[in-house]
Amino acid sequence: MVKLEWAEAQTAVAPLLHFAFLLVGQLLCCVLRLQSSISESDVQVIDSKGMEAASNLPLPDAFLQFLNDHGIDPSIYTAADFLPRYVRLKPGCEEQVEAIEADIRCKLEKVEWLPNFYSLPPHIQIASSKSYQEGQIYGIDAASGAAVSALNISPGDHVLDLCAAPGAKLCMILELLGNSGSVTGVDVARHRLAACRTLVQKYSLSDHCRLFVANGAEFSLIPIRVDSDIKSLNREFGMKGDEFLYKEWTSRKPYKERKKAIKGSREKGSLQLNQDPELIYYGRHSGVVGLSKTDLFKTVLKNEISQYGYDKVLVDAECTHDGSIKHIQKFENWGWTTLERRVLDAERTDDLTVLQFRLLTNGFKLLKAGGYLVYSTCSLTYAQNEDIVEKFLSLNPCAELLDIDGSECWPCKSGRIPKTLRFDPLTSRTSGLFVAKFTKHPER
């Protein structure tokens, strides 16, 4: 009896199911026709209106006044919930895209204007995915990737990342170099640079990298261009004078070095700051292994830097972060009074512009003649970008501002100064970023 009733129920429902499938199919066809009939400009208009309607970031009056004073359009902050997040695919993993998509349960949309970059919906989390944990992908904004791309890194280059933390751009530089050249990462915050160390080790990119805790505005070490005769002689004797040579890096310092550091701290006092850069990591092919400390930290003359300095320098300077939507969003939790202290305080902003100019000046000093330097910030104010560039060019006659190769295909605007670029959320669908590229001519 039960079987008979079930059979009758199936017979009765079948036509309804058939009708439902037909209706779904027609709806899908309508959607496809609608998508094909909407132009790209229509989509942009729809997106813009949607962003305006959905804005829910309650910007305080003081911040709105800051934006007005610096000529920044407040509407960029309406894009907060619509900006995609970006990931970079590790070179060699191109055939794993489908597997990665299955892992993160989301389709990767290729960023056509930037190789190896993909976009994801903003709500997708990758930290717990196998692909992220195994180093196949990592998060980096497309605008930041553009800044690195502007360096035109070539195999064998020696590159300086003067403000290296949190490390995504450092990883991209190392990927572009492959198994050649070297990268020197510098940051003033030890804990942030330690995070960089973890990152480059995780992605197996650490062999050609060395990391220094130092003030980027004062850092003065040039890259190690291997002198095989000296290094082979040093290795043969195992020391130079009374100095031990750097062996392969280990997280634990040798006993004699630890004992010497403790003795030194007692003699100088525990609050005495060490003025020398602190080397917290070096890869086996970074040029450090086999050197003495004297060789590593030796000072060089100005004309030697012009010949033996870095081929490429990235100065992604500390700034107010007002162009980073996600950063501004954090102040909802931190409190808007924190924003006023960290971003809006005039004295702090003045200090930042001084620091930015010093970082740019020192990075350029360490650049070899004919090399490239990229200056970038995630601020959209003129004071931290074009004003810094204009002042720098006026005081450095051997510096020249360059067009950025390939940028004609990038979704960004020109800065106030020709050849400089500005990314912003509404124009670029990225975080805000200012980018300027320089070269260095020999001094006459």
Side-chain angles (χ1 to χ4, degrees), residues 86-132:
Y86 294 92
V87 296
R88 177 169 166 83
L89 183 70
K90 188 174 181 179
C93 294
E94 291 79 6
E95 295 182 0
Q96 305 299 319
V97 169
E98 289 187 6
I100 294 172
E101 290 175 334
D103 179 31
I104 63 176
R105 299 180 181 179
C106 176
K107 183 170 179 59
L108 294 171
E109 295 293 338
K110 191 171 185 179
V111 178
E112 297 295 340
W113 56 275
L114 198 60
N116 287 84
F117 273 75
Y118 294 82
S119 65
L120 305 169
H123 67 276
I124 297 296
Q125 301 296 319
I126 64 172
S128 61
S129 69
K130 180 180 177 182
S131 306
Y132 174 78

Side-chain angles (χ1 to χ4, degrees), residues 311-327:
D311 301 289
K312 309 288 165 64
V313 175
L314 176 63
V315 181
D316 186 41
E318 172 66 19
C319 67
T320 52
H321 304 285
D322 54 84
S324 172
I325 307 297
K326 292 180 180 178
H327 187 80

Side-chain angles (χ1 to χ4, degrees), residues 65 204 215 223 376:
Q65 185 61 49
S204 302
N215 182 348
S376 63

Side-chain angles (χ1 to χ4, degrees), residues 161-434:
D161 187 352
L162 202 54
C163 307
K169 289 184 286 294
L170 182 73
C171 287
M172 183 174 171
I173 293 169
L174 285 160
E175 283 183 347
L176 293 173
L177 278 177
N179 296 318
S180 66
S182 71
V183 179
T184 299
V186 177
D187 204 273
V188 71
R190 194 182 196 284
H191 68 284
R192 284 166 56 81
L193 197 65
C196 292
R197 178 177 62 199
T198 301
L199 209 58
V200 297
Q201 289 177 309
K202 171 183 177 180
Y203 293 113
S204 302
L205 296 168
S206 57
D207 274 359
H208 293 259
C209 179
R210 57 180 189 160
L211 301 174
F212 291 95
V213 178
N215 182 348
E218 299 175 356
F219 184 76
S220 61
L221 303 182
I222 64 172
I224 300 168
R225 299 177 183 271
V226 178
D227 185 333
S228 57
D229 291 337
I230 292 177
K231 295 186 82 173
S232 61
L233 184 63
N234 286 348
R235 286 195 187 98
E236 182 179 348
F237 289 98
M239 62 179 63
K240 183 177 181 180
D242 61 349
E243 287 190 270
F244 285 91
L245 307 180
Y246 285 100
K247 300 179 180 178
E248 285 199 25
W249 185 84
T250 174
S251 58
R252 184 168 177 80
K253 294 181 179 179
Y255 170 75
K256 288 187 177 180
E257 190 174 338
R258 282 183 281 129
K259 185 177 179 181
K260 183 178 179 181
I262 293 171
K263 181 180 179 183
S265 66
R266 286 173 178 169
E267 291 175 352
K268 298 178 182 179
S270 58
L271 297 178
Q272 178 72 34
L273 294 176
N274 183 5
Q275 297 302 310
D276 286 335
E278 179 188 359
L279 180 63
I280 68 164
Y281 181 79
Y282 56 92
R284 66 179 65 182
H285 300 301
S286 63
V288 175
V289 177
L291 286 183
S292 68
K293 189 172 183 179
T294 300
D295 288 330
L296 179 62
F297 290 93
K298 68 179 179 182
T299 56
V300 294
L301 300 175
K302 186 176 180 181
N303 63 329
E304 291 181 305
I305 294 177
S306 183
Q307 184 176 358
Y308 299 110
Y310 294 91
D311 301 289
K312 309 288 165 64
V313 175
L314 176 63
V315 181
D316 186 41
E318 172 66 19
C319 67
T320 52
H321 304 285
D322 54 84
S324 172
I325 307 297
K326 292 180 180 178
H327 187 80
I328 296 299
Q329 278 182 312
K330 293 177 182 177
F331 288 104
E332 283 190 283
N333 297 323
W334 295 343
W336 292 114
T337 54
T338 308
L339 173 75
E340 293 182 16
R341 187 177 71 253
R342 293 189 180 182
V343 177
L344 309 182
D345 181 72
E347 185 175 345
R348 170 172 161 73
T349 303
D350 290 343
D351 289 343
L352 271 177
T353 55
V354 171
L355 173 63
Q356 289 157 350
F357 181 77
R358 291 183 64 208
L359 287 167
L360 175 56
T361 301
N362 194 47
F364 191 76
K365 173 187 172 183
L366 295 170
L367 182 70
K368 69 181 292 188
Y372 298 144
L373 180 148
V374 166
Y375 173 79
S376 63
T377 80
C378 60
S379 170
L380 295 178
T381 68
Y382 291 129
Q384 298 175 69
N385 297 311
E386 285 91 344
D387 291 355
I388 297 290
V389 169
E390 286 178 337
K391 179 181 178 181
F392 174 76
L393 288 172
S394 69
L395 297 174
N396 291 274
C398 59
E400 180 188 357
L401 203 57
L402 297 178
D403 285 311
I404 297 176
D405 296 340
S407 62
E408 61 275 3
C409 300
W410 293 356
C412 56
K413 297 178 180 178
S414 176
R416 189 184 69 193
I417 302 173
K419 301 181 181 180
T420 63
L421 301 176
R422 282 174 168 266
F423 291 82
D424 71 74
L426 292 180
T427 303
S428 316
R429 292 181 65 80
T430 67
S431 187
L433 196 77
F434 172 85

